[in-house]
């Protein structure tokens, strides 16, 4: 790999914090670009889970319409969870996570950059394909905007909370199942408010209050989750 | 200085050994009197009849399930910051007891729900929160069990407990909101029994009894873990020789 | 009060006694588990110390 951004970090004498975070972010995107299957799998999973629901409960439009917000959000939750392993495990295996911990920059900011990359690679694609799947479930057109907005605000919270679970289970056997056990209970508020917002605008009720609550959760997660994740990474590397 | 004195495993081991029988007796006394007052003395509720007596187990268990999670998170935080061995051991000893109380609260809630709501499980806000709390406890124990090194296990689990304790109020609030939104019309909500002093006394006695029980069990659990962790020290070896 | 009435709990006997029975079982198991663990730990440590002593002598 001739133009590995990771190498250019170590060459630079003392990159500014913002530059270092940018490097981590772009490096994660570049790595994901080369392993595009890793990025696509959660998306395909999302599509399959949503498509399986009508097969399980029957194609009755009214029932599917009422179930659509919940099904879409649960599927998004599961798809995000499936992609959490990717966040740190490659870096843990090849040792670059240790370099990140030893770097002069605060680990919380580096973690935030990695979470941002994870969100760009999972949350945004999930959001972008969700309208197609929503149409499959007969979600009313008025709710489409709320669906996109709720996923836009909600999926970063999923990535942030998930990063704690991913960091805690680094290098453990059966880590994949364990992550879901740790992270899914923490996802309940986002699921409730996300699906609730979509459901209420599907029935013609203003969903702004719920979306702002989700925004508050995002602010909370942005402040605390990187600290917890950084602590968890340090513990896992001990 | 006193705290650091009791924080030393040797002193703690001896001290807790002396304390446990007394705490056990106190637990038996409190629960005995509480059960007597709750089952024999307290009158039947005019709305719920005799079935409200489930409350004397259900409500204190639900209180304990939340209380123990907070204790666990605080102990975990102290262990993370000051690296005190005892608080790490305390946090891990809390988890099974807390999970047990959560399970009791869930099962008794279901048993109370059947006569009150006509179904064993109703997606009631309190029951749903308890269910998620049980998942949090299980996650804590699963994480701890899957890490071989006890110190790393304790510290990782402590981080999880802290994240959980920040999330519990949010989960509770969200579940409550969700519950009011989806309240099915058919469910007739019987209000909480208006607490009469003759009902309050057994309730509080049971609650205090459960607290003392919790302290007793946690001390018992901690002593075994201390022995295991300190197995290469002189005092443990001396202890083994005097006892054999 | 007669005992049959007491056990019937006004028709709610199954639920009330089910509650108390379940709580008792769980709480008793929580007492037994640390006692058994202590026994196992003591046994293990004793064997361990015998092995190490055997190596020293």
């Amino acid at each position: 790999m001739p133009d590995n951004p990771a190498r250019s970090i170590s060459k630079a004498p003392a990159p500014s914090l913002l530059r270092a975070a940018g490097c981590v972010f772009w490096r994660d995107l570049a790595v994901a670009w080369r392993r595009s299957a890793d990025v696509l799998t959660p998306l395909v999973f999302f599509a399959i889970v949503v498509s399986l629901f009508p097969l399980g409960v029957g194609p009755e439009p009214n029932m599917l319409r009422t179930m659509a917000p919940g099904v879409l959000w649960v599927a998004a939750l599961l798809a995000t969870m499936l992609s959490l392993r990717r966040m740190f495990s490659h870096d843990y295996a090849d040792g670059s996570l240790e370099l990140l911990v030893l770097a002069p920059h605060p680990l919380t900011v580096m973690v935030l950059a990695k979470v941002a990359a994870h969100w760009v690679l999972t949350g945004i694609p999930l959001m972008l394909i969700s309208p197609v799947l929503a149409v499959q479930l007969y979600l009313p057109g008025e709710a489409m905007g709320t669906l996109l907005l709720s996923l836009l605000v909600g999926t970063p919270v999923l990535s942030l909370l998930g990063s704690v679970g991913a960091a805690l289970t680094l290098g453990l056997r059966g880590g994949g199942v364990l992550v879901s056990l740790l992270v899914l209970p923490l996802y309940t508020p986002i699921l409730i408010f996300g699906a609730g917002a979509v459901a209420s605008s599907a029935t013609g009720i203003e969903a702004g209050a719920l979306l702002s609550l989700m925004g508050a959760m995002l602010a909370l997660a942005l402040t605390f989750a990187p600290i917890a994740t950084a602590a968890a990474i340090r513990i896992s590397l001990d | 200085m006193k705290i650091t004195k009791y924080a030393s495993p040797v002193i703690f081991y001896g001290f807790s050994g002396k304390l446990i029988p007394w705490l056990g007796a106190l637990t038996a006394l409190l629960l005995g009197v509480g059960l007597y007052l709750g089952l024999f003395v307290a009158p039947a509720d005019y709305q719920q009849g005799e079935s409200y007596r489930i409350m004397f187990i259900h409500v204190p268990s639900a209180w304990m399930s939340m209380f123990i999670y907070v204790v666990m998170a605080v102990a975990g935080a102290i262990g993370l910051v000051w690296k005190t061995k005892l608080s790490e051991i305390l946090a891990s000893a809390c988890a099974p007891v807390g999970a047990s109380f959560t399970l009791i609260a869930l099962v008794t809630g279901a048993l109370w729900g059947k006569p009150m709501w006509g179904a064993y499980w109703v997606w009631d806000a309190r029951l749903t929160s308890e269910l998620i709390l049980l998942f949090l406890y299980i996650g804590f124990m699963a994480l701890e069990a899957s890490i071989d090194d006890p110190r790393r296990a304790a510290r990782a689990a402590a981080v999880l407990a802290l994240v959980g304790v920040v999330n519990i109020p949010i989960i509770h609030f969200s579940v409550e909101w969700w519950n009011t939104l989806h309240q099915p019309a058919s469910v007739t909500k019987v209000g909480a029994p208006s607490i009469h002093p003759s009902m309050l006394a057994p309730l509080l006695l049971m609650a205090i009894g459960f607290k003392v029980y919790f302290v007793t069990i946690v001390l018992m659990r901690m002593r075994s873990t201390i022995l295991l962790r300190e197995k290469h020290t002189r005092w443990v070896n001396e202890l083994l020789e005097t006892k054999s | 009060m007669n005992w049959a009435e007491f056990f019937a709990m006004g028709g709610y006997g199954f639920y009330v006694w089910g509650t108390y029975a379940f709580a008792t079982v769980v709480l008793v198991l929580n007492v037994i588990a640390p006692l058994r663990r202590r026994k196992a730990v003591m046994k293990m440590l004793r064997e361990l110390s015998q092995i190490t002593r055997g190596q020293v002598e």
Side-chain angles (χ1 to χ4, degrees), chain B residues 62-73:
Chain B
W63 287 344
M64 287 308 290
S65 65
M66 313 253 176
F67 171 76
I68 294 175
Y69 201 94
V70 175
V71 171
M72 198 169 85

Side-chain angles (χ1 to χ4, degrees), chain A residues 114-170:
Chain A
K114 287 189 81 68
V115 173
H118 178 265
W119 175 64
V120 168
L121 293 166
T122 339
I124 289 187
L126 282 179
M127 186 187 82
L128 291 179
I129 63 166
S130 65
V132 183
L133 298 167
V135 169
Q136 274 193 327
L137 297 177
Y138 307 106
L139 188 76
E142 312 90 76
M144 219 53 99
T146 315
L147 176 67
L148 286 173
L149 260 178
S150 70
L151 283 170
L152 183 70
V153 185
T155 47
V157 184
L158 300 184
S159 295
L160 282 162
L161 286 176
S163 72
V164 184
L168 283 174
T169 54
L170 274 179

Side-chain angles (χ1 to χ4, degrees), chain B residues 173-236:
Chain B
F173 167 67
S174 66
V175 167
E176 210 124 84
W177 174 83
W178 165 81
N179 190 245
T180 53
L181 183 78
H182 295 281
Q183 192 76 66
S186 61
V187 171
T188 51
K189 262 207 138 177
V190 181
S194 48
I195 296 277
H196 189 265
S198 64
M199 297 173 180
L200 190 63
L203 185 65
L204 290 181
L205 276 173
M206 294 298 284
I208 300 167
F210 278 180
K211 285 233 161 66
V212 182
Y213 169 87
F214 159 67
V215 175
T216 319
I217 300 297
V218 158
L219 288 183
M220 285 165 76
R221 288 189 161 275
M222 286 176 77
R223 277 161 60 87
S224 302
T225 318
I226 288 172
L227 284 184
L228 261 187
R229 287 238 201 149
E230 306 265 296
K231 60 178 175 241
H232 298 303
T233 57
R234 251 183 64 198
W235 72 270
V236 171

